[in-house]
Amino acid sequence: MAHEQLENLVRIGRLKAESPSPAEITGLVRSGLARLKDAKLDHLSIESRFDLAYNAAHALSLAALRIAGYRAHSRYIVFQCLRHTLDFPNQQWRVLDLAHRRRNLSEYEGDPELEEPLVEALIRAAEEVASRVSQHHPEALPLQES
């Protein structure tokens, strides 16, 4: 069923089927884990922690999509596909959705509207993505660094 949903996204041009690249996946997960670790550093500004946590979640989510054999045409679709790539819970997905909207406000309008609870929830969501990548795809790479 998940594969069928992803294939539908290929048919409408939102995804592209592409063979997984182990080196790319390893790099994405490594990058995601490094950013996730840094996002937890309390001495950094809330903006920096948010950016790090958001980019960690995105890199790890993209790794899951690449493992499944797809490439996205937009950043947002990577998060939308988590339900199909990692059976990601809707509650956690809503955190990523909100973070994406806040990221866009920050990037395009200079108004991040960031609060500590959002950053903490985003970190937890990124940790959940990392955990599920590890559980569903242990071949991706060692995730014990998180």
Side-chain angles (χ1 to χ4, degrees):
M1 174 78 135
H3 183 73
E4 180 182 323
Q5 296 298 326
L6 296 172
E7 284 299 314
N8 286 340
L9 291 170
V10 170
R11 279 191 284 286
I12 63 170
R14 300 297 307 246
L15 291 180
K16 175 183 169 189
E18 186 177 307
S19 297
S21 162
E24 179 185 8
I25 293 163
T26 297
L28 287 166
V29 175
R30 206 171 273 141
S31 173
L33 293 176
R35 286 181 166 88
L36 182 56
K37 181 179 176 183
D38 290 348
K40 297 174 187 178
L41 299 174
D42 291 332
H43 68 276
L44 296 177
S45 70
I46 193 168
E47 291 84 2
S48 292
R49 293 179 61 227
F50 175 83
D51 287 347
L52 287 162
Y54 176 86
N55 286 312
H58 186 266
L60 293 162
S61 299
L62 182 54
L65 188 61
R66 294 297 296 123
I67 289 166
Y70 298 92
R71 183 173 298 283
H73 293 292
S74 74
R75 293 181 68 86
Y76 189 63
I77 194 79
V78 172
F79 293 139
Q80 289 179 320
C81 289
L82 282 172
R83 179 75 183 135
H84 308 298
T85 57
L86 296 177
D87 194 27
F88 204 67
N90 285 336
Q91 181 180 0
Q92 292 280 14
W93 182 85
R94 283 190 285 278
V95 171
L96 297 175
D97 177 55
L98 176 59
H100 182 77
R101 287 185 278 128
R102 295 286 172 88
R103 174 210 171 256
N104 284 348
L105 280 174
S106 177
E107 292 287 317
Y108 303 117
E109 298 177 26
D111 183 14
E113 297 183 34
L114 299 177
E115 311 90 23
E116 189 64 31
L118 174 59
V119 174
E120 291 170 1
L122 182 53
I123 289 170
R124 286 191 302 275
E127 288 173 331
E128 182 65 23
V129 174
S131 174
R132 286 173 183 258
V133 167
S134 176
Q135 290 169 8
H136 288 56
H137 307 286
E139 74 284 359
L141 64 88
L143 290 174
Q144 64 269 17
E145 298 172 24
S146 67

